Amino acid sequence: MGAIRGTDIVSADEIRELFPRLSRGMVKKVLWSLSKKGYLTRLKKGLYLVNEHPGNPSIKNPYRIALALFPGYIAFSSALRLYDLLDYEPFTIFVATPRKSGERTIGEYTIRAVALGEKATGMTLKDGVYTSTLAKTFFDCFYKPRYCGGYSEITKALYEVEKLDWDEFLGYFERFASDSLCQRTGYVLELLKNELGVDIPEEVLNHLRSRVKGWTKLVPTLPSHGRSIGEWKVIDNLGKEKILGWAYG
């Protein structure tokens, strides 16, 4: 154990490099024995978490572990946290992947992979882990608000952000967004601009306005009770107080 102590994740290949005289079969036996004794926690085939204390998974960097389990990029509320735009430490780590959805619990963390298909793009290396760019983070949050705490977290983060690449942000809507997503997003952005003075570029709002088609609910899973916003053809079935409640409180 001394040879791997101090690292958080180790692979079977790395063990073989450390002990070249051991056969593959012997390496498998050693890893199995260390896992059984609690010194290692198996993440997936050939990949292990090194525990500081037997039986107690040592989570030094949950984001690295998340990406080791589900190749993709850190997204949604987890990305907001990495950009210091979330006040709390979420114990669910979200990973956006092209194809594979899934969930795994490691220690006190739940790692959740969300398959976004062709939308699983727009990442950067931040703090040593692949994370959605800031603009892509907000697109993903508008696309699936339930994975970031809802519209109140999105609006609070947008209010606090110092600089956003709006051209990049709009580019994702041009490539990937449905008309209804554009309508919902435009309504929320204009609400931020009118109520709190957030500097939302008019060209962004104009493009989203050009996508207004049929009526849509702000939260598709909720009943259709609420205020009808004619300009955006959005039924606000959540309410301004919940969308911007953090500002009014």
Side-chain angles (χ1 to χ4, degrees):
M1 278 297 294
I4 59 175
R5 200 174 294 280
T7 187
D8 53 350
I9 300 174
V10 67
S11 68
D13 290 338
E14 289 171 326
I15 295 294
R16 281 193 287 271
E17 288 177 9
L18 285 171
F19 304 102
R21 294 183 181 181
L22 294 181
S23 66
R24 284 181 174 267
M26 185 57 70
V27 168
K28 285 181 68 175
K29 286 183 179 179
V30 169
L31 290 171
W32 178 84
S33 176
L34 290 174
S35 297
K36 188 175 181 182
K37 292 175 181 177
Y39 291 107
L40 298 177
T41 297
R42 185 178 184 273
L43 296 176
K44 62 182 181 181
K45 185 178 180 180
L47 197 65
Y48 298 83
L49 180 66
V50 180
N51 300 328
E52 290 183 357
H53 304 288
N56 184 21
S58 304
I59 313 295
K60 296 176 182 176
N61 189 326
Y63 305 105
R64 279 195 64 210
I65 293 169
L67 292 179
L69 283 170
F70 301 105
Y73 61 83
I74 300 299
F76 304 112
S77 60
S78 305
L80 289 178
R81 178 64 180 175
L82 282 173
Y83 284 107
D84 293 322
L85 294 172
L86 200 65
D87 294 335
Y88 59 93
E89 180 70 39
F91 285 94
T92 296
I93 306 297
F94 286 101
V95 179
T97 70
R99 290 173 294 277
K100 185 178 180 181
S101 292
E103 190 171 295
R104 180 82 183 275
T105 299
I106 302 291
E108 59 188 344
Y109 289 91
T110 297
I111 314 298
R112 185 166 184 182
V114 179
L116 294 184
E118 64 176 355
K119 297 180 184 69
T121 185
M123 72 182 78
T124 186
L125 195 61
K126 179 170 177 56
D127 299 335
V129 295
Y130 285 105
T131 310
S132 50
T133 66
L134 188 56
K136 186 54 164 48
T137 297
F138 282 112
F139 172 84
D140 288 345
C141 288
F142 274 112
Y143 178 50
K144 292 187 178 291
R146 65 186 181 277
Y147 295 143
C148 71
Y151 286 109
S152 62
E153 291 292 352
I154 299 174
T155 56
K156 187 173 185 293
L158 276 169
Y159 182 80
E160 293 179 355
V161 76
E162 294 182 3
K163 186 177 180 181
L164 183 67
D165 187 335
W166 288 103
D167 288 336
E168 182 190 349
F169 175 80
L170 194 55
Y172 296 120
F173 282 86
E174 292 171 341
R175 291 172 62 190
F176 300 128
S178 64
D179 292 332
S180 58
L181 176 57
C182 289
Q183 289 168 237
R184 293 192 293 268
T185 302
Y187 166 63
V188 173
L189 290 179
E190 189 169 65
L191 200 60
L192 263 175
K193 183 171 187 173
N194 292 342
E195 294 287 325
L196 301 177
V198 177
D199 186 17
I200 311 293
E202 198 58 38
E203 57 266 29
V204 172
L205 294 173
N206 285 338
H207 174 80
L208 297 175
R209 254 187 225 104
S210 73
R211 299 285 298 276
V212 171
K213 297 294 189 292
W215 283 89
T216 185
K217 293 187 289 185
L218 182 62
V219 183
T221 56
L222 292 180
S224 299
H225 307 303
R227 185 171 165 232
S228 297
I229 312 300
E231 179 185 2
W232 294 100
K233 289 192 175 180
V234 167
I235 300 171
D236 182 357
N237 54 350
L238 187 59
K240 182 173 68 173
E241 294 75 16
K242 290 185 178 178
I243 299 170
L244 301 176
W246 54 270
Y248 300 141

